[in-house]
Amino acid sequence: MVSVDEYGEFETAWCPGCGNFQILKALKQALAGLGLKPHQVLVCSGIGQAAKTPHYLKCNAFNGLHGRSLPPATGAKLANKNLAVVVTSGDGCNYGEGGNHFLAAVRRNINITLLAHDNQIYGLTKGQASPTTLKGQKTKAQPFGAPSDAFNPVAVAVAMHAGFVARGFSGNVDHLADLIQQGIQHEGFSLIDISQPCVSFNKVNTFGWYKERCKPLPEDYDPTDWGTAMNTAMQFGETIPQGVIYKNDRPAFGSNIPAMQGEPLARRNPDLSVLAEILEEYA
């Protein structure tokens, strides 16, 4: 049995009341609930307040460039398929700077779990509109309102037939932990877009704003129905549906590649003589 205490307790740089605290709690709860020891887990991130999450976990961690969390996570998973790989970063990092990596991960169906802390603002850089800021919303950097339509990552992921797509809320830790567990257990790419407040720089989408709108999906909801999932994914405003919106059984990337079968690549002893022969051809 694994305890959440094994993932450690650290002093954070987050503002009091930030949704990141509850997401971190849900992540620890999910990992411990799955019986995963810290050495069996890798958490990757880019840049931002949410991207500091690996700093506050006792496990394997990678904190890289802005928007570049998915490529190293992909490489790590392909090198060691036995590792549980989680990417955790903000809406700006994942959908702005990392937008193309997000699309590539969905398309390839890499077996990793993306936790997108979605507070609809750039928090680390103090309040610019992010890709998910609603059009017309005033921010410190856009006093006349965000000029562009908001990006809907959940709808895009469902449209591309991503393997597992869910929406969670930082204010419902137990429900969020359950979604994270399901995402990690899913064989393929899983996106969990998490609504959370930024108490310092988003005065519109507050904790109360989300709490009033985040509603669980009905018990008879069928996440394998793509058409229903598309309609559900498009709902964001007065109601924000919570739960597993869509899932399918697309084979994960690597499952049909012979070289990926058997022992993880990271545990094999490469034949360096073959490499030497190849290099000799270019000498």
Side-chain angles (χ1 to χ4, degrees), residues 4-281:
V4 295
D5 295 336
E6 294 185 45
Y7 284 90
E9 284 287 340
F10 301 86
E11 182 178 350
T12 77
W14 293 328
C15 304
C18 176
N20 287 334
F21 287 102
Q22 302 307 312
I23 298 173
L24 176 62
K25 182 178 180 180
L27 176 57
K28 287 181 181 179
Q29 197 169 306
L31 295 172
L34 290 171
L36 291 168
K37 292 281 189 180
H39 74 274
Q40 297 174 304
V41 177
L42 169 67
V43 178
C44 294
S45 70
I47 294 296
Q49 292 292 1
K52 294 176 180 174
T53 300
H55 303 185
Y56 311 136
L57 282 166
K58 183 182 176 184
C59 65
N60 300 298
F62 182 93
N63 187 194
L65 300 175
H66 207 355
R68 311 304 179 208
S69 51
L70 282 166
T74 298
K77 185 66 182 182
L78 295 180
N80 187 353
K81 62 183 181 181
N82 292 342
L83 201 59
V85 180
V86 176
V87 172
T88 176
S89 218
D91 45 296
C93 190
N94 283 310
Y95 306 140
E97 287 80 1
N100 191 47
H101 296 305
F102 169 67
L103 298 179
V106 173
R107 180 170 59 85
R108 293 173 179 146
N109 203 27
I110 304 292
N111 189 13
I112 57 180
T113 300
L114 170 59
L115 308 183
H117 301 221
D118 194 348
N119 56 18
Q120 301 181 251
I121 205 78
Y122 279 98
L124 183 69
T125 47
K126 299 182 171 48
Q128 296 94 339
S130 81
T132 58
T133 304
L134 298 177
K135 187 176 183 178
Q137 183 170 318
K138 294 180 180 179
T139 72
K140 287 183 66 175
Q142 287 83 21
F144 302 108
S148 303
D149 288 319
F151 178 66
N152 185 331
V154 174
V156 170
V158 174
M160 294 179 67
H161 295 267
F164 181 98
V165 185
R167 267 197 172 115
F169 172 41
S170 65
N172 192 344
V173 173
D174 290 342
H175 182 254
L176 179 57
D178 178 63
L179 292 178
I180 295 172
Q181 285 190 349
Q182 292 188 58
I184 293 173
Q185 290 176 312
H186 177 77
E187 289 292 327
F189 181 75
S190 54
L191 165 68
I192 303 172
D193 187 82
I194 306 167
S195 297
Q196 66 153 118
C198 174
V199 294
S200 295
F201 300 108
N202 188 341
K203 304 301 183 184
V204 176
N205 311 113
T206 61
F207 181 85
W209 188 92
Y210 286 118
K211 188 174 182 180
E212 181 181 341
R213 290 164 172 77
C214 290
K215 306 293 183 187
L217 291 166
E219 291 185 3
D220 61 349
Y221 181 83
D222 179 8
T224 65
D225 183 332
W226 184 82
T228 299
M230 275 304 301
N231 289 329
T232 304
M234 292 300 294
Q235 295 175 36
F236 191 95
E238 292 306 310
T239 300
I240 307 174
Q242 302 290 295
V244 181
I245 292 173
Y246 179 67
K247 64 179 180 180
N248 61 43
D249 56 359
R250 283 174 59 202
F253 185 90
S255 61
N256 56 352
I257 299 176
M260 296 292 298
Q261 311 310 310
E263 276 287 291
L265 298 177
R267 294 182 181 174
R268 300 180 196 177
N269 293 318
D271 186 347
L272 297 181
S273 64
V274 175
L275 176 61
E277 290 176 8
I278 294 173
L279 293 176
E280 186 65 27
E281 295 177 3

